[in-house]
Amino acid sequence: MPSFPSVDWFDAIKDIVNKDPDYRALGTVDCIVGVKVGSKIFELTFDAFECTTVREAAETDLRDMDFWLEQPYDKWVEMIENIKKHGKADLSHTLNTIDLSMPEGLARAHDGYRRDAFYRFNQSIQDFFNAAAKIDTKFLAEAAVA
Amino acid sequence: MADTMTIPANLAAKAKEKGWPDDLVEQALASGAGADQIIGYMDQGVTADQARGFLAAQAGGGPELSDELKAAADLAQWPYELLQQALAAGAAASDLMNFMSMGVTADQAREFMAQGGPPQLDLSWMQVPTEWNTRARPTKHGLTLEAINIGKYGEIPDVWPYHTEMPRGAIPIPGVESMGYSIFEKQEVWADNCAALYEEAIQRRWRPATDVPWATIEPLPDDVERAICQICTHISEKEQLEADVLGRWEPDISYGYHEVKLYLATTIFENARAVEVFRKRALSNGGGLGIQSPGWGFRSIVDARNFTEMLTIQMVLQDSLTLAQYQYLEKYAKNPAEQYIAAHAMQDKARHVAYAISHIKYVMMHRADRRDEIMRYLDKGEGMMLQDDKRDPATKAAFAIYFGGGKANINEGLQIYNQMRRRAVEQYLARLKWATIERADRLDPGLKKYIKD
């Protein structure tokens, strides 16, 4: 059972969506997305019809990403548990909804153009996280990512 | 000789079926043709008249003319030798009778017959000096516009000199009429992302009629239903306007920048899809349409006198606001159908904004002298948009009721509406900043108030 957050966990999600014709049917995605969970940062590269690579990244790498998703650890846990419970994010837990619920936003970027990739590819990125419903997740202790 | 010729039974049967008289069949056999060969001609549809003409021509003399044909030729003033020539060339006597009765003159018949035989084609076009041996290869995205932009075909000129519909990379010919294009400079329309956005739009399309989970829509309180229907009316109206405006500009963009033309075509399609889907939502749950918008903001778009002006106001300013509206409609959706609609409209709208802001950046990189001009367009656009706000209380109230969940919560809804405006303005400024335009200080006070805290 992969732990969240870890490269293994994102790899498991990546493997699911890359084999999923419904994900492919959403269309091409071309962006580099960061996921920041506490002190840990992961870089997800989306190229055409698949998520090609997942790697652990450093704070300085954020500048090269189109945008990154950042929220408190307990909110990540809540989002993933909600996805697991409903098979996908319910109306209160979509990436866009969470983004609007936070003053700083869930999706953050260093420039206003690249951040718009969050909207352009929103449903594919959502579908990526919705795939968390198909795996069992072990959550690391919050202290482990602080 | 014909008197002694024996016609095989299968040939006789076929001749009877096809209306070839025995004397003709005997004549054909006598000329050396085999029975199977003659049957083959018959099966190919060769008529008795045609066969007689052919045989006569082979024999070196003209085919025999019937009295009926001669009489018609006398009347139509066709010489007999012309008739014999036509019969020999395979014309049917019945057809010749028809031509003569229709008033076809002998000269016209000669001219027509002269056109027979193999066409003399001018194949000089096969030596056209375009770039040849071009072999574009599919990428992970397939064979995209960017993938075929290789060699000369990928050279996008700063100025396109042709007024015709000649494709970029083809060879012009003299004498072709102008198609009425008026945009010939790259900086007037170009954005570096337009080819990629075109492919993205094609790949990420969706189908409102069947993709939206319409069955999840359930009856809403009357005030909320009225609110969403007013919002749908407002959005349908402005998306249709955008489609109309872009549609008018399309024919002005010369063919040298086909990537832009193609991308705008997808934008127009997406505008149409938004009109469609929001209208469908309004008419699918016991409600109907609401009241129209005052249209002041629309005027500033329709009245734009150059393409960059139109893009600046429509696709940078107005679409930034619309994009924020879709974000909030997704968050406050009352059912999965509305959530789906808003989320997908949001993706489309983000592409529109991406093209426009990328164009502004291109202009700034290549025509920095246009900075003040663009600032003035934004001044005008912001001002006119705020006039709409003053004169359109319905749309603002509708959003507030929808966000708040009913008239009773309108104050809460208005706070959310203001948050939406704040986000829209912040994102608008951030996009402009990326395009090297610092707008915060010059922002219309009516918009500045949303971000002053």
Side-chain angles (χ1 to χ4, degrees):
Chain A
M1 182 186 305
S3 299
F4 179 88
S6 68
V7 169
D8 284 349
W9 190 86
F10 286 108
D11 269 337
I13 301 290
K14 173 177 78 97
D15 291 344
I16 291 169
V17 297
N18 286 351
K19 292 173 189 163
D20 182 2
D22 289 340
Y23 174 80
R24 184 183 175 91
L26 292 172
T28 50
V29 184
D30 296 287
C31 62
I32 300 173
V33 180
V35 179
K36 189 171 181 185
V37 187
S39 61
K40 288 189 173 293
I41 296 170
F42 300 89
E43 182 188 271
L44 317 177
T45 301
F46 293 87
D47 183 14
F49 296 99
E50 58 182 357
C51 176
T52 52
T53 56
V54 172
R55 71 175 184 96
E56 197 154 353
E59 187 83 22
T60 51
D61 294 325
L62 292 175
R63 188 160 289 281
D64 297 325
M65 299 179 191
D66 287 292
F67 61 89
W68 71 89
L69 305 174
E70 180 175 352
Q71 61 180 331
Y73 183 66
D74 61 323
K75 292 295 181 185
W76 280 113
V77 173
E78 180 185 326
M79 186 188 95
I80 293 165
E81 287 180 337
N82 178 273
I83 287 169
K84 184 70 178 174
K85 182 178 177 185
H86 296 97
K88 63 179 185 177
D90 71 6
L91 290 178
S92 304
H93 290 85
T94 65
L95 298 174
N96 177 63
T97 295
I98 295 169
D99 184 54
L100 295 178
S101 304
M102 301 172 65
E104 315 83 3
L106 168 68
R108 305 176 192 184
H110 287 297
D111 77 56
Y113 173 78
R114 297 185 77 185
R115 187 187 180 282
D116 281 342
F118 174 67
Y119 302 121
R120 278 162 58 188
F121 306 116
N122 187 272
Q123 292 305 287
S124 296
I125 308 295
Q126 183 67 64
D127 204 58
F128 181 89
F129 280 98
N130 283 349
K134 296 175 181 168
I135 63 170
D136 292 322
T137 298
K138 176 186 172 188
F139 292 99
L140 295 176
E142 188 167 1
V145 298
Chain B
M1 187 174 170
D3 291 340
T4 58
M5 186 69 64
T6 303
I7 302 174
N10 60 339
L11 178 56
K14 180 63 77 176
K16 188 173 180 185
E17 177 193 330
K18 298 291 184 182
W20 282 36
D22 286 352
D23 70 304
L24 176 61
V25 176
E26 288 166 352
Q27 194 181 342
L29 288 168
S31 74
D36 290 341
Q37 199 178 357
I38 297 169
I39 289 172
Y41 293 144
M42 291 174 180
D43 285 336
Q44 286 168 24
V46 175
T47 66
D49 284 343
Q50 288 169 329
R52 208 180 289 281
F54 177 77
L55 288 167
Q58 266 201 329
E64 207 171 304
L65 301 180
S66 67
D67 291 342
E68 188 186 19
L69 209 50
K70 285 179 182 172
D74 291 341
L75 205 59
Q77 299 181 328
W78 280 34
Y80 291 167
E81 56 73 31
L82 177 59
L83 286 175
Q84 287 172 315
Q85 196 181 340
L87 289 169
S94 56
D95 287 341
L96 295 175
M97 291 289 289
N98 281 339
F99 296 149
M100 288 186 283
S101 68
M102 285 160 57
V104 174
T105 67
D107 285 345
Q108 286 171 329
R110 281 200 182 89
E111 193 176 330
F112 178 78
M113 288 168 65
Q115 290 170 358
Q120 297 302 305
L121 297 179
D122 176 3
L123 299 181
S124 59
W125 59 268
M126 296 186 84
Q127 309 305 318
V128 66
T130 52
E131 192 164 291
W132 206 244
N133 286 322
T134 305
R135 288 186 176 82
R137 293 282 182 268
T139 67
K140 281 184 77 172
H141 297 71
L143 191 60
T144 61
L145 285 180
E146 286 176 313
I148 62 169
N149 267 353
I150 49 180
K152 189 178 179 185
Y153 302 101
E155 291 174 8
I156 300 151
D158 289 336
V159 177
W160 178 251
Y162 305 105
H163 290 228
T164 69
E165 69 278 26
M166 185 190 74
R168 195 175 72 218
I171 295 295
I173 58 173
V176 179
E177 299 91 336
S178 165
M179 289 302 289
Y181 299 127
S182 68
I183 295 176
F184 300 99
E185 284 186 48
K186 187 177 180 182
Q187 61 87 19
E188 291 185 273
V189 293
W190 191 254
D192 287 334
N193 59 8
C194 60
L197 287 172
Y198 170 76
E199 299 288 355
E200 188 179 309
I202 295 294
Q203 289 291 344
R204 297 187 69 78
R205 64 196 184 277
W206 50 288
R207 295 151 289 267
T210 52
D211 289 350
V212 175
W214 295 106
T216 64
I217 297 180
E218 293 181 346
L220 294 171
D222 182 67
D223 53 351
V224 178
E225 182 63 26
R226 286 183 184 279
I228 186 63
C229 286
Q230 178 57 37
I231 291 166
C232 289
T233 305
H234 169 72
I235 292 172
S236 291
E237 195 173 358
K238 64 181 179 181
E239 291 281 5
Q240 184 61 63
L241 176 98
E242 186 169 359
D244 290 346
V245 169
L246 293 178
R248 280 189 215 168
W249 280 100
E250 272 274 29
D252 277 73
I253 302 170
S254 56
Y255 214 148
Y257 311 110
H258 63 254
E259 292 90 345
V260 175
K261 292 172 81 72
L262 294 178
Y263 176 62
L264 289 181
T266 66
T267 306
I268 294 167
F269 181 80
E270 287 162 359
N271 294 140
R273 183 163 54 205
V275 173
E276 170 203 352
V277 77
F278 283 99
R279 187 176 180 86
K280 283 177 174 173
R281 169 57 193 92
L283 302 181
S284 63
N285 198 31
L289 294 177
I291 63 170
Q292 72 170 126
S293 304
W296 282 61
F298 296 167
R299 296 305 307 183
S300 61
I301 301 159
V302 173
D303 292 345
R305 302 304 296 267
N306 70 69
F307 188 75
T308 300
E309 177 183 1
M310 182 277 293
L311 273 194
T312 303
I313 300 173
Q314 172 64 65
M315 294 178 79
V316 176
L317 171 62
Q318 291 275 3
D319 280 356
S320 283
L321 262 70
T322 306
L323 177 53
Q325 288 175 345
Y326 292 157
Q327 294 163 22
Y328 276 76
L329 286 172
E330 197 260 5
K331 178 179 179 184
Y332 291 98
K334 308 304 179 203
N335 49 65
E338 290 169 7
Q339 192 263 343
Y340 186 99
I341 293 168
H344 286 76
M346 179 172 78
Q347 294 189 142
D348 293 349
K349 192 53 65 185
R351 277 193 299 277
H352 303 173
V353 173
Y355 163 66
I357 200 67
S358 184
H359 168 66
I360 300 299
K361 187 163 191 173
Y362 188 87
V363 174
M364 290 298 92
M365 295 295 103
H366 295 82
R367 282 285 305 276
D369 58 299
R370 296 190 71 185
R371 182 175 300 275
D372 286 344
E373 175 193 337
I374 288 170
M375 280 293 200
R376 286 199 299 276
Y377 299 149
L378 293 170
D379 292 343
K380 183 171 73 171
E382 290 168 6
M384 295 290 265
M385 191 183 74
L386 288 163
Q387 288 299 317
D388 259 348
D389 278 1
K390 287 179 188 169
R391 289 167 171 77
D392 185 17
T395 300
K396 182 175 183 178
F399 273 113
I401 291 169
Y402 187 73
F403 294 156
K407 278 192 292 188
N409 304 321
I410 195 164
N411 285 332
E412 184 187 330
L414 283 170
Q415 285 180 10
I416 299 169
Y417 178 88
N418 288 337
Q419 288 168 16
M420 176 176 76
R421 267 297 166 92
R422 177 188 179 119
R423 177 171 274 248
V425 173
E426 286 172 346
Q427 293 184 346
Y428 164 65
L429 293 175
R431 290 178 189 119
L432 286 170
K433 185 174 184 178
W434 176 79
T436 76
I437 292 179
E438 294 288 350
R439 181 74 187 165
D441 291 342
R442 193 160 159 176
L443 193 65
D444 190 291
L447 292 177
K448 199 178 281 185
K449 72 179 184 186
Y450 290 107
I451 58 167
K452 65 182 178 184
D453 299 331

